[in-house]
Amino acid sequence: MTDTEVAIGRLAALKRLGVRLAIDDFGTGYSSLGYLRRFQVDILKIARDFIGSADGGSEDWAFAHAIVALGRTLDLRIVAEGVEQPGQLQRLRKMGCEFGQGFLFARPVDGVTFTADTFGERRESARVGGPVTQPSLAIQQIDLRSA
């Protein structure tokens, strides 16, 4: 981020409106420990790169364990991305990860399909031209405590 102070102010304004903030793909790119300290985030999303294989050893899962422990210490919600195998789900549950996303639960869908499947209807666009055809933001997270 080029202007961190402006970003902090804007994120604080969103929080005052009740918006919960997440750091996506934590541990990669621009997400860092410094952001956890400066930005008031609510959710850490563990990058799929750090989710080990179902039969992987402790080294394969070391980063996921560390991120879950850090998030729990800071009282943040934790979402594991890229959960594809039942064995991964079991390991994540065991380490205390609360939520998961991935092919094990559902394949990605566009906003129109998500709305139709979730609400049983197709919503029309306010724009001229009929139904919404562009993908909308639709994130499905599964509570691992009960999945």
Side-chain angles (χ1 to χ4, degrees):
M1 291 191 190
T2 55
D3 195 345
T4 304
E5 295 308 316
V6 170
I8 289 171
R10 288 181 179 162
L11 292 174
L14 288 170
K15 295 238 349 143
R16 286 191 298 275
L17 294 173
V19 174
R20 291 185 301 164
L21 304 174
I23 294 183
D24 195 27
D25 292 332
F26 185 75
T28 64
Y30 290 102
S31 66
S32 73
L33 292 174
Y35 286 155
L36 287 181
R37 176 176 258 180
R38 300 206 57 206
F39 301 125
Q40 297 176 355
V41 299
D42 304 290
I43 304 162
L44 279 184
K45 294 182 72 180
I46 305 170
R48 69 177 300 151
D49 296 347
F50 300 128
I51 304 301
S53 64
D55 58 353
S58 59
E59 188 174 301
D60 199 25
W61 285 88
F63 284 103
H65 275 286
I67 294 169
V68 169
L70 176 64
R72 292 175 65 86
T73 299
L74 297 173
D75 200 27
L76 302 174
R77 295 260 171 143
I78 293 80
V79 178
E81 298 178 338
V83 181
E84 298 178 357
Q85 305 164 341
Q88 290 173 310
L89 172 62
Q90 292 170 351
R91 291 187 79 158
L92 289 161
R93 277 183 175 158
K94 196 174 193 178
M95 71 176 72
C97 183
E98 297 176 287
F99 298 95
Q101 287 178 225
F103 293 159
L104 180 64
F105 309 112
R107 295 283 183 188
V109 296
D110 63 77
V112 173
T113 303
F114 176 80
T115 301
D117 290 350
T118 303
F119 301 107
E121 60 188 62
R122 294 182 76 79
R123 303 206 177 211
E124 297 296 316
S125 171
R127 286 178 262 134
V128 176
V132 176
T133 57
Q134 294 180 347
S136 301
L137 176 62
I139 298 173
Q140 183 175 10
Q141 297 173 359
I142 305 299
D143 189 335
L144 298 184
R145 297 168 291 189
S146 61

